[in-house]
Amino acid sequence: MKIDDNLPPGQLRERKALKKTLISQISVCDASNWEDSRLSWESCCLSKEDFFNETSLKLFSYQFKWNNIYQAYCKQLGKTPETITLWRDIPLVPAMAFKEFPLFCGNPSLASICYHSSGTTNAKHSCHYLWENDIYDVSLTVNFKRHLLPDFDKIQIISLIPSSKDLPNSSLAHMVFMLIQKFGDKKSGYYISKNGLDVARIIEIFDCCKKRKKPVIILGTSSSINYLLNFVKETGLSFSLPEGSRLLDTGGNKGVKKPIERDKFYLLIEKCLGIPSQYCVNEYGMSEMGSQFYDSVLVSTYDVGEERLKERPKESGRKKVVPPWVRTRILNPETLEDIGAGESGILCHYDLANLDSVLGIQTEDIGARMKDGFEIIGRSQGSEVRGCSLAIENFLSTTLKRKTCQLKKH
Amino acid sequence: MPIKKTLSKYANYLPGLSESYPAISPPGLDKLFSYPALTPSALEKVIYTILNSRNQYLANKPLNEIIYVLDKTSRIWLDSKSFWRNEAIKYLTLSTIFSKEMVESAIDATFSALLQKPLEELVSLELGDASLLDSFCRLSSIKQASFKKQASSCKQVSIIKGYGPAIKGYGPSIIFHVFSGNIPGIAVRSLAYGIMVKAANLGKMASGEPVLASLFAFSLRAVDPELASSIAVTWWPHEENTLLEKAVSLADDVVAYGNDDTLAAIASKLPLGVRYHPHGDKLSFIVIGKEVLSLNFVKDIAIKIARDVSLYEQMGCFSPQFVYLEDGGEVAPIEFAKFLGEALEEIKKKLPKGKFAPDIAAKISQLRKYYSLKRAASKDATSNSVPLKMQFVLESNNSTDWTVVFDDDPKPSPFCCNRFIILKPVTHISSITETLSYFKNKISTVGYAVSESRIKEVASYFAPLGAHRIVPAGQMQSPPSHWRHDGRFNLLDFLRFVELG
């Protein structure tokens, strides 16, 4: 169904104008090499506070007008386009709300795209509705290019993330599809399906890569990469992928590992695949957001220079980079004020790529501010203790599913 | 003044362990606790050590003498000056989320239930007579006469009078306990009952509370070293399956506390013949009848509910998640929220909030916004029956100390611990049985605030649903000393009765 047929003319007009602004500004960040990309990121208008403020308020106004549930929520809080002047005052929506409410600027039954969160089959999924992928695709490719491929136009992509055919409604699968389309050479492909990792083909392709002597990029979730590493370890194999090869691991916010675990993970990657940790980039994202956050490690080697990094290793410290079209606040969980230096708090994102839903998302993730970015802190020891009180969400989902199956049997 | 962090000398109690092993600790607690990284063969050696000790000593110790030892030990713990009590207060305050006041409350509740009187009551309730575990007890109810008549018809057979009929209860040789870390004291109770059935007891503590059971073992040693030599308590990482497999392979009974995933994982490793006593996820709630929702009573009811909600930071199986209030009383359900908020604020003075990590507070903050948004999304937001400006989420000022949510959706809805309580209006208490039917046999405790004439009515609704405690609001967290976890017997469930003829 065409978007033109499904939106009222007024909404269509407003959306087109916003989309044009956002795509043109995000596209400014696109560059073919790392030198130009650094400059282009800095020169993007959205990096400037007043332009970001103006654009985000326009987007808020649009979403307030056309997203009914969000409008009711904002009115309840007394925050409307007439009463707020700063992007920081735009009401944040809890990420978990996407599991129950269609936070969409329109009728969700008419939406062409719906991305679900990952998780167990029994748990409730978030649904993020979109009219189109245009802004999503631009933000994704521009961001990926800067942080994973500052030095190549095309590269062999080895995907350990299933295709959209095997994972419909997955924003991650769509991401991989777009990346292969834009950056993948002819030898790129998927090495995982519903049946699991195709380890035989992976070993074969690793051998070919070695002969080709051209760097490759592996895209995987933390779990698929761990599976591969365990396989390599147990079989006693090891690979030295060509110099310049790199790896992207993602698991969204569920794949967040503690710093010690992450260091061990990268050491193992280097041991099994020959990819140094500097070329292992973690991606933090979620189905509720159009944009992603990448580690700065790989691009730092280009921005700062490898020699200088050796002298000042702290500059290569892993941090998640906030793209110019996003703002991340870290809020004190008790007061919901911005944290002070040395503190940690709740990660809240204002993402202009979330054109069709809500731009302000409050996550459950905890982070700390770093220079030019943030780091994610793993779950605390105390948070593992949940008591013998019932985990209603999971249990209700499991029981309801069982009940539904029982009803169907009869 | 902050408490100084020093390594505890009493974090693990392992008789028979002579070799040294590398030290391990739960994440973030390495300055407080250190445990040996046992191998499966080292653990096996420990288990056989405590088993031998049990066979030589505990197996033949009269139950009343065991009770005496537990009583003497408990009195030490209830003494405010005692070393063990203060050691536990220090380390539990440092290592758990609980405040000092909450820790003291847990210690008092735990050891009050292990004094002589409550233990004798427990024995009387479950066994009738303590000597049932000490020797074969003749049953006087069966008459000898019928036996003689039967035997006399067999002329060829000489009459053997026999001893019985008599029975004796035998406990398992080894009980392996897997403790959870949410409520300090459950581990001690579990061990104490394991000792009473004269088993050797191996306890694995949780990362969330890795010390109280060990301190208890040391304190027992100070009173009765031989008895204490049949106990071993330590910690190992949750993912260390080889130790778990070793322990379950040697145990006769396995007791486990935790969420359903943890319990299922343990169950999958149990050999055939091992008896499993799992205690998993539970739902508890409160019901309030409209007849008591009057200005005369609501303040008192709110105070009682605040106690039930605040104790143990709502993390125990007795802790209520929802309060169902009947419509039609003098005080509308939505107005009750204000009274409960005031009571939660007040009880903080006696039971200060624990030390929560940021991600727990993040969860609370997330849910507060969720319910605000849910209200906005509901149809009532546009109706005239409920004023839009009425608050639906009451929050403690500038903090996540407590939260009261009013949610007019009767279905169970997302919640978290840490003094987060959800009020749901109902037309009649009986309607809850329908909405909670999915949770049958997952229900622990139902607190009630109803008129006296309705108490049995409340029981008639929720006992069939699987609730095993139905008690007045305010008493949810104060079970009698002999309370049955998940409705099971504390001693009888471990016993095998031998009939001697």
Side-chain angles (χ1 to χ4, degrees):
Chain A
M1 279 189 250
K2 283 189 180 174
I3 184 176
D4 294 23
D5 300 328
N6 290 319
L7 293 186
Q11 183 182 354
L12 194 64
R13 215 168 26 249
E14 286 178 45
R15 189 183 184 279
K16 270 188 178 164
L18 273 165
K19 177 180 150 182
K20 188 178 172 188
T21 304
L22 290 169
I23 287 184
S24 70
Q25 281 307 313
I26 294 172
S27 300
V28 159
C29 300
D30 195 13
S32 56
N33 63 64
W34 66 269
E35 285 172 278
D36 291 343
S37 80
R38 183 157 65 99
L39 292 167
S40 63
W41 276 55
E42 285 168 8
S43 67
C44 172
C45 288
L46 291 168
S47 299
K48 299 180 182 53
E49 196 63 8
D50 50 1
F51 191 84
F52 182 88
N53 198 54
E54 185 190 324
T55 311
S56 57
L57 288 175
K58 279 184 186 157
L59 180 53
F60 168 61
S61 185
Y62 169 79
Q63 290 174 344
F64 178 89
K65 195 169 170 184
W66 301 109
N67 184 330
N68 295 336
I69 292 174
Y70 188 53
Q71 186 188 101
Y73 178 60
C74 292
K75 278 181 175 172
Q76 196 171 267
L77 295 171
K79 307 261 186 176
T80 69
E82 289 77 34
T83 63
I84 67 168
T85 54
L86 296 172
W87 63 266
R88 289 165 191 278
D89 293 328
I90 294 172
L92 292 159
V93 161
M96 69 179 287
F98 281 80
K99 290 183 187 176
E100 278 196 41
F101 309 108
L103 289 156
F104 182 54
C105 295
N107 182 345
S109 62
L110 300 175
S112 11
I113 301 153
C114 174
Y115 289 133
H116 292 171
S117 56
S118 57
T120 62
T121 48
N122 287 335
K124 257 187 172 174
H125 294 287
S126 291
C127 292
H128 188 187
Y129 296 97
L130 285 82
W131 286 116
E132 297 169 327
N133 266 323
D134 298 19
I135 296 182
Y136 181 88
D137 290 346
V138 165
S139 80
L140 132 77
T141 50
V142 163
N143 207 355
F144 179 88
K145 170 76 177 150
R146 162 107 178 113
H147 293 99
L148 272 299
L149 278 186
D151 46 354
F152 284 95
D153 290 333
K154 294 276 186 188
I155 193 169
Q156 183 177 357
I157 296 179
I158 297 171
S159 178
L160 307 185
I161 294 167
S163 67
S164 297
K165 194 178 112 198
D166 288 329
L167 261 192
N169 304 119
S170 162
S171 55
L172 196 55
H174 173 77
M175 178 180 111
V176 173
F177 169 76
M178 283 309 301
L179 294 178
I180 290 180
Q181 211 178 50
K182 187 147 170 102
F183 303 115
D185 70 8
K186 289 176 194 170
K187 296 206 177 283
S188 302
Y190 295 91
Y191 293 83
I192 185 170
S193 67
K194 273 188 263 197
N195 302 322
L197 268 189
D198 192 341
V199 283
R201 275 182 64 224
I202 291 171
I203 292 168
E204 206 181 294
I205 202 71
F206 280 175
D207 282 335
C208 287
C209 293
K210 212 171 158 185
K211 286 173 192 158
R212 269 182 102 201
K213 294 182 185 174
K214 283 188 174 176
V216 301
I217 181 167
I218 300 173
L219 309 179
T221 59
S222 299
S223 56
S224 64
I225 294 169
N226 266 322
Y227 186 92
L228 175 66
L229 295 176
N230 285 336
F231 175 83
V232 170
K233 238 177 39 172
E234 279 163 22
T235 49
L237 296 165
S238 78
F239 299 94
S240 253
L241 291 174
E243 192 180 335
S245 293
R246 56 214 61 192
L247 179 143
L248 171 73
D249 85 277
T250 181
N253 47 358
K254 298 172 190 64
V256 173
K257 290 181 186 297
K258 292 174 188 168
I260 297 171
E261 291 172 7
R262 192 145 278 284
D263 287 343
K264 281 187 189 166
F265 179 61
Y266 294 137
L267 276 171
L268 193 57
I269 291 172
E270 184 160 14
K271 191 176 169 190
C272 296
L273 303 178
I275 300 177
S277 66
Q278 204 73 4
Y279 281 70
C280 294
V281 176
N282 174 255
E283 181 223 0
Y284 163 63
M286 58 201 82
S287 63
E288 297 88 356
M289 266 184 61
S291 299
Q292 302 78 35
F293 304 92
Y294 293 101
D295 279 339
S296 61
V297 281
L298 190 152
V299 74
S300 295
T301 60
Y302 292 89
D303 281 353
V304 180
E306 279 199 72
E307 286 308 313
R308 183 164 158 182
L309 279 179
K310 282 176 190 166
E311 292 165 21
R312 299 183 192 186
K314 277 189 182 174
E315 288 191 34
S316 70
R318 281 183 189 274
K319 56 179 176 272
K320 294 293 185 282
V321 178
V322 182
W325 55 92
V326 179
R327 291 293 185 274
T328 294
R329 291 174 74 195
I330 307 182
L331 303 185
N332 180 308
E334 300 289 333
T335 62
L336 295 181
E337 302 285 336
D338 291 281
I339 55 168
E343 293 176 342
S344 56
I346 307 175
L347 289 168
C348 300
H349 310 292
Y350 298 79
D351 182 6
L352 296 182
N354 266 20
L355 174 58
D356 294 323
S357 53
V358 290
L359 77 139
I361 308 280
Q362 177 173 323
T363 72
E364 284 184 61
D365 302 317
I366 299 296
R369 183 72 66 195
M370 293 180 81
K371 186 172 176 271
D372 303 323
F374 63 86
E375 67 167 349
I376 302 165
I377 294 169
R379 287 198 152 252
S380 62
Q381 183 227 341
S383 72
E384 300 302 329
V385 182
R386 281 286 173 256
C388 34
S389 299
L390 200 56
I392 290 266
E393 288 172 61
N394 285 341
F395 184 75
L396 191 59
S397 303
T398 311
T399 322
L400 276 175
K401 195 177 164 80
R402 203 180 298 138
K403 186 110 182 148
T404 311
C405 290
Q406 285 169 354
L407 287 169
K408 278 181 181 167
K409 275 182 198 168
H410 294 102
Chain B
M1 189 185 274
I3 308 170
K4 198 176 168 193
K5 287 188 179 183
T6 52
L7 205 62
S8 168
K9 293 178 195 165
Y10 308 103
N12 61 95
Y13 184 84
L14 291 163
L17 194 74
S18 47
E19 299 87 359
S20 61
Y21 291 87
I24 52 172
S25 306
L29 296 179
D30 52 301
K31 289 193 170 49
L32 297 175
F33 308 120
S34 172
Y35 307 85
L38 296 174
T39 58
S41 59
L43 182 63
E44 182 172 335
K45 197 174 166 195
V46 166
I47 293 172
Y48 279 120
T49 300
I50 61 174
L51 177 62
N52 288 337
S53 173
R54 174 260 180 191
N55 289 341
Q56 283 172 32
Y57 181 71
L58 182 61
N60 300 311
K61 192 174 177 73
L63 181 53
N64 281 331
E65 289 181 24
I66 297 173
I67 289 173
Y68 174 75
V69 170
L70 290 170
D71 174 87
K72 195 168 172 188
T73 308
S74 297
R75 284 180 194 284
I76 294 168
W77 279 85
L78 292 171
D79 179 356
S80 62
K81 295 192 188 77
S82 90
F83 170 79
W84 301 112
R85 179 187 178 93
N86 288 296
E87 188 80 350
I89 290 170
K90 173 184 169 182
Y91 282 100
L92 288 174
T93 309
L94 283 171
S95 64
T96 70
I97 68 162
F98 299 117
S99 63
K100 180 174 175 288
E101 290 79 355
M102 200 77 81
V103 166
E104 288 191 273
S105 177
I107 289 173
D108 288 337
T110 300
F111 289 99
S112 299
L114 298 180
L115 293 171
Q116 183 171 346
K117 189 168 176 231
L119 289 181
E120 284 176 349
E121 278 172 6
L122 170 67
V123 168
S124 174
L125 206 67
E126 291 198 18
L127 303 177
D129 191 334
S131 45
L132 207 59
L133 297 197
D134 300 336
S135 57
F136 281 98
C137 299
R138 284 201 174 92
L139 302 174
S140 56
S141 56
I142 301 173
K143 290 178 188 170
Q144 294 289 336
S146 61
F147 173 81
K148 280 183 185 169
K149 191 177 171 184
Q150 198 177 9
S152 67
S153 65
C154 306
K155 289 174 187 173
Q156 303 283 326
V157 179
S158 59
I159 293 171
I160 302 167
K161 191 176 177 181
Y163 180 83
I167 59 167
K168 182 183 172 191
Y170 284 83
S173 302
I174 303 170
I175 302 176
F176 172 46
H177 310 253
V178 181
F179 301 128
S180 63
N182 56 310
I183 304 289
I186 295 287
V188 169
R189 188 173 178 272
S190 201
L191 282 176
Y193 293 152
I195 292 166
M196 285 174 74
V197 296
K198 306 187 189 183
N201 288 272
L202 168 67
K204 177 205 166 294
M205 295 179 288
S207 302
E209 194 281 270
V211 72
L212 186 58
S214 179
L215 288 171
F216 172 60
F218 274 103
S219 68
L220 271 175
R221 188 177 77 170
V223 173
D224 187 336
E226 282 176 320
L227 183 150
S229 63
S230 62
I231 305 167
V233 182
T234 189
W235 172 87
W236 63 74
H238 179 72
E239 56 275 11
E240 183 42 81
N241 282 323
T242 54
L243 292 178
L244 174 69
E245 284 159 7
K246 175 58 70 179
V248 303
S249 72
L250 295 173
D252 302 295
D253 285 58
V254 173
V255 182
Y257 304 85
N259 62 41
D260 286 354
D261 289 341
T262 300
L263 299 183
I266 294 169
S268 69
K269 300 201 184 297
L270 295 182
L272 190 64
V274 171
R275 285 175 55 177
Y276 191 33
H277 310 261
H279 299 290
D281 289 336
K282 288 287 181 289
L283 172 68
S284 292
F285 55 90
I286 294 171
V287 297
I288 306 181
K290 65 181 179 191
E291 70 279 4
V292 300
L293 277 167
S294 76
L295 287 168
N296 288 337
F297 300 133
V298 284
K299 213 169 170 179
D300 185 55
I301 293 171
I303 289 169
K304 290 182 159 110
I305 293 177
R307 183 175 188 276
D308 287 335
V309 169
S310 302
L311 270 171
Y312 308 119
E313 302 301 351
Q314 216 180 358
M315 285 173 36
C317 45
F318 298 157
S319 301
Q321 282 93 46
F322 306 113
V323 179
Y324 295 95
L325 309 96
E326 279 183 339
D327 279 320
E330 185 189 340
V331 173
I334 199 168
E335 289 160 5
F336 183 76
K338 184 173 74 81
F339 291 100
L340 186 51
E342 285 167 2
L344 285 167
E345 185 63 30
E346 186 61 29
I347 203 172
K348 267 169 44 178
K349 296 172 192 165
K350 281 191 209 161
L351 288 173
K353 178 189 153 182
K355 309 167 295 294
F356 298 153
D359 51 349
I360 295 175
K363 180 76 183 181
I364 293 171
S365 178
Q366 179 88 183
L367 275 173
R368 283 175 171 179
K369 283 200 159 61
Y370 165 83
Y371 278 103
S372 290
L373 198 139
K374 184 177 180 181
R375 185 67 200 164
S378 74
K379 290 173 186 173
D380 278 343
T382 52
S383 80
N384 291 327
S385 59
V386 178
L388 266 179
K389 286 185 183 162
M390 181 77 77
Q391 274 188 301
F392 298 103
V393 179
L394 285 183
E395 306 172 1
S396 52
N397 193 31
N398 246 8
S399 71
T400 56
D401 291 359
W402 57 261
T403 312
V404 179
V405 168
F406 179 80
D407 179 26
D408 55 10
D409 175 0
K411 295 193 302 295
S413 47
F415 73 95
C416 60
C417 305
N418 316 121
R419 312 195 197 193
F420 193 104
I421 188 72
I422 301 164
L423 308 187
K424 291 180 180 282
V426 291
T427 46
H428 193 272
I429 287 172
S430 59
S431 65
I432 304 165
T433 54
E434 178 61 34
T435 46
L436 292 185
S437 59
Y438 295 150
F439 295 90
K440 192 172 177 184
N441 299 323
K442 281 288 187 181
I443 294 171
S444 167
T445 304
V446 178
Y448 60 79
V450 295
S451 61
E452 207 174 314
S453 60
R454 292 188 74 187
I455 295 174
K456 283 193 177 171
E457 178 196 335
V458 168
S460 72
Y461 298 141
F462 302 116
L465 213 52
H468 60 270
R469 289 182 64 229
I470 301 169
V471 299
Q475 293 182 27
M476 290 176 82
Q477 304 277 14
S478 309
S481 50
H482 54 260
W483 66 273
R484 282 162 285 277
H485 201 157
D486 296 341
R488 305 304 319 160
F489 286 109
N490 296 307
L491 304 176
L492 277 177
D493 272 16
F494 291 94
L495 296 173
R496 164 178 63 92
F497 286 92
V498 176
E499 179 194 318
L500 180 62

